[in-house]
Amino acid sequence: MESQKIGIVGSGLIGRSWAMIFASAGYSVTIFDIEPSQVSNALKLIKSQLEELSESGMLRGTLSVEAQFALIKGSNSMEEALAGASFVQECVFEKLEVKQKVFSEMEQYVGDDAILSSSSSCIMPSQFTENLKRRNQCLISHPINPPYYAPLVEIIPAPWTDQSAIDRTRTIMESIGQVPVTLKKEVPGFAVNRIQYAIIAEVWRLVEGGVLSADDVDKVMSAGLGLRYAFLGPLEVMHLNAEGMQSYMERYTQSIQHVLGNFGPTPTFTGSGLERIIKEMDAKIPLDKLEERRQWRDTRLAALAKLKRDLERE
Ligand code: NAI
């Protein structure tokens, strides 16, 4: 169990999730938010979520709800929240000016060994760390929503990030049961959104081109490809679907190139195609049912995460 201190800056959805994940592995966590009521609200929400997770058998780690909650504190001072922290996870609004301001404040309150990590989904680390004194200690650890059940974390360094900060972040992420992948350099969209947007583009073309309905195109993932991808990535799927990768490429290169050559340009995501997709999605899940459906999603992701953990233990 860890005795290191973690600072969390920003106590919205993602800040609360990180706090719970770190505490589940025994780290002491202090949460700061610019809005004091957000901190007290976050502590209340975390307590009730830990209780619900325990009741449903989904609580992470070996510590009791009380022990995990006791590891999480709130503070209305960034200085106090970050004092002595070895790792700080920033979770404020996704706005460049806010990230720049918060990073320039955070670097004043940590020592030479601390890592300053951002949850940013799309802003590249060089954009808000370039002019900092401690820029070599900064990187992004981008989680996937909901982080409590989807353990992937993309680590994205800026060109000036120390290799030791990257290596230590990977070790910390593994110690809390997350699954880190490290980008060797920053690229727009990082890895997750580049791959996700490639899928969105083709799904859009198939619906816009009248090949599949919106409901059916989603089933291609949820009842087909997604089931495999819950356990293996596309490269391993290829390796297993022939006598290894070389044999797969000998068999299928021509047909892959033929199909890829048939892809249209990047959709504009406007006009009648957009209207049709919005209409179909609103009919399938009306806007006043979104919260219900999110809970449905989280219950299923939790069960899948548990299944994967149980299978790995076998
Ligand atoms: P949120 O809007 O739920 O919470 C942001 C929190 O930051 C608020 O409590 C706000 O009061 C606080 N805040 C704003 N300015 C601040 C400042 N100067 N100092 C301290 N606290 C400040 O946002 P959410 O969804 O938790 O996102 C946080 C970060 O995580 C963003 O960078 C987002 O892109 C990233 N992220 C979000 C995901 C999601 O699905 N929501 C998934 C992965 C990453």
Side-chain angles (χ1 to χ4, degrees), residues 59-80:
L59 187 70
R60 286 173 60 158
T62 52
L63 297 172
S64 66
V65 167
E66 293 70 29
Q68 295 194 23
F69 188 64
L71 288 167
I72 305 175
K73 295 183 186 56
S75 172
N76 293 327
S77 145
M78 186 193 278
E79 182 170 8
E80 182 185 71

Side-chain angles (χ1 to χ4, degrees), residues 9-16 18 32-35 38 78 90-95 98-99 101-102 105 118-122 142-145 147:
V9 177
S11 61
L13 178 72
I14 296 298
R16 295 195 300 272
W18 277 118
F32 165 77
D33 198 290
I34 195 148
E35 187 57 63
Q38 282 286 95
M78 186 193 278
E90 168 275 306
C91 316
V92 303
F93 300 138
E94 186 76 357
K95 283 211 175 116
V98 183
K99 303 272 188 212
K101 181 172 161 287
V102 166
E105 281 169 32
S118 171
S119 302
S120 175
S121 329
C122 352
H142 173 224
I144 304 300
N145 198 35

Side-chain angles (χ1 to χ4, degrees), residues 103-118:
F103 266 76
S104 65
E105 281 169 32
M106 292 193 316
E107 73 164 349
Q108 298 169 33
Y109 303 128
V110 294
D112 293 345
D113 291 334
I115 293 168
L116 296 175
S117 168
S118 171

